[in-house]
Amino acid sequence: MSVKGVNKIENLLSTNSYPGRGIMVGLSADGKSAMIAYFIMGRSTNSRNRIFERYEGGMRTKAFDESKLVDPSLIIYNPYLACENGDIVTNGDQTDTVLDYIKANGDDGYAFEKSLHTREFEPDHPNYTPRISAMLKYAFDKGTFGYKLSILKSSDGNPEVCNRYFYSYAPLKGLGHFIHTYECDGNPIPSFYGEPEVVELPNTAKELADVVWNNLNEDNKVSLFIRVVPLDGSAPEEIIINKNK
C-alpha cells in the first residue's frame, strides 16, 4: 500500500480549489468493473465555455457558446477514444496521438509509452500545463484488465526540458489512481507533483459521478465524464455532467 495511504476522493477534491483536469482509473469496490473518471475545470471564460459531447467511438469537448470561443487549440480535443479491447483518456489531443500510433504500428505492450515520447507539455506560458494520459486494456475472456497513467511536464517550470513519467498498474479491488494537471491553484499554476494518488472507488457509475462532481470547486468545475466497464464483457455505463446546460 502507498506510504501516503489511501485517500477518499471527497477529501482530495474538496480541499483543492483548482486541480485543473483530472483522470481517475481503477477497479470497483466489488471487483467487477473498470472505472474511469475524467473532469475539466476552468478559470478563464474560454476554458469555462465548454461541454462534453459523446459520439460513436469517442467523446469530445465542444464550445457551449460558439460565439464566445476565442482560441480552440488547447481546449477543444477528444478526451476519450476507444481502441481495440481498450480505452484511451487524456487531457488533450494526445488521445489521437496514442490511437494513431496503435493503428499504424499495433500495440506491442508499449505503444502508450512510445507514442507519448513524441509529445510534451502544453505550450501555455507560464503554466506549461502537463499532459496527463491513461490507457486501459481489457481481457474480457479472463475478466481482467490493466491500466497505465502518464504525465508529461516541464522541469519545475523550465520549458527547455520535458520530463515524462509512466506508471503501470495491476488493479486492486476498490482502489484507483488519480492524476491531475495542477498541484493546486496559483500564478503560475504549479504542475502536479509526485506519483498518482491512491483513491477509494465505489461500485457504480452514479456513485463515482456524485462523489467527484459534488466535491469539485463550484466556481471552477466545467464537465465530468464517467465510464464503467463490466469485466464480464457486458455493456459499459457512462455518465456525462456539464455545468453548462
Side-chain angles (χ1 to χ4, degrees), residues 121-242:
F121 50 85
E122 296 180 357
D124 58 334
H125 171 83
N127 298 315
Y128 303 114
T129 299
R131 292 189 185 273
I132 55 172
S133 308
M135 188 167 76
L136 299 83
K137 295 294 286 185
Y138 306 107
F140 294 118
D141 58 330
K142 299 177 181 178
T144 61
F145 79 108
Y147 63 97
K148 298 179 179 182
L149 295 175
S150 171
I151 184 168
L152 316 179
K153 61 180 183 176
S154 67
S155 180
D156 296 323
N158 179 358
E160 301 300 316
V161 178
C162 179
N163 293 327
R164 299 174 175 87
Y165 302 86
F166 298 90
Y167 308 90
S168 182
Y169 296 103
L172 291 173
K173 187 183 295 187
L175 295 179
H177 290 88
F178 175 33
I179 194 165
H180 38 101
T181 52
Y182 305 128
E183 189 68 18
C184 56
D185 206 345
N187 191 20
I189 318 173
S191 295
F192 178 86
Y193 180 80
E195 292 187 17
E197 296 156 326
V198 182
V199 293
E200 291 182 2
L201 291 178
N203 277 321
T204 69
K206 184 180 186 306
E207 289 174 313
L208 184 56
D210 285 347
V211 73
V212 174
W213 188 251
N214 292 338
N215 286 284
L216 287 170
N217 180 270
E218 184 64 31
D219 293 330
N220 296 324
K221 66 184 180 182
V222 175
S223 294
L224 171 66
F225 173 68
I226 300 292
R227 179 171 165 86
V228 173
V229 182
L231 299 178
D232 63 6
S234 54
E237 181 179 1
E238 295 182 354
I239 296 173
I240 289 178
I241 302 175
N242 292 309

Side-chain angles (χ1 to χ4, degrees), residues 75-137:
I75 66 169
I76 303 300
Y77 56 92
N78 297 310
Y80 163 72
L81 290 171
C83 62
E84 185 176 2
N85 296 318
D87 289 320
I88 305 165
V89 183
T90 88
N91 73 322
D93 62 10
Q94 72 269 26
T95 324
D96 296 83
T97 301
V98 177
L99 183 59
D100 289 346
Y101 184 96
I102 292 172
K103 287 180 177 179
N105 303 283
D107 187 359
D108 61 358
Y110 297 97
F112 183 67
E113 292 87 345
K114 290 176 180 177
S115 62
L116 289 173
H117 268 87
T118 69
R119 302 302 305 270
E120 59 179 32
F121 50 85
E122 296 180 357
D124 58 334
H125 171 83
N127 298 315
Y128 303 114
T129 299
R131 292 189 185 273
I132 55 172
S133 308
M135 188 167 76
L136 299 83
K137 295 294 286 185

Side-chain angles (χ1 to χ4, degrees), residues 28-40:
S28 61
D30 59 13
K32 295 180 179 180
S33 303
M35 308 193 89
I36 303 168
Y38 176 68
F39 64 80
I40 60 173

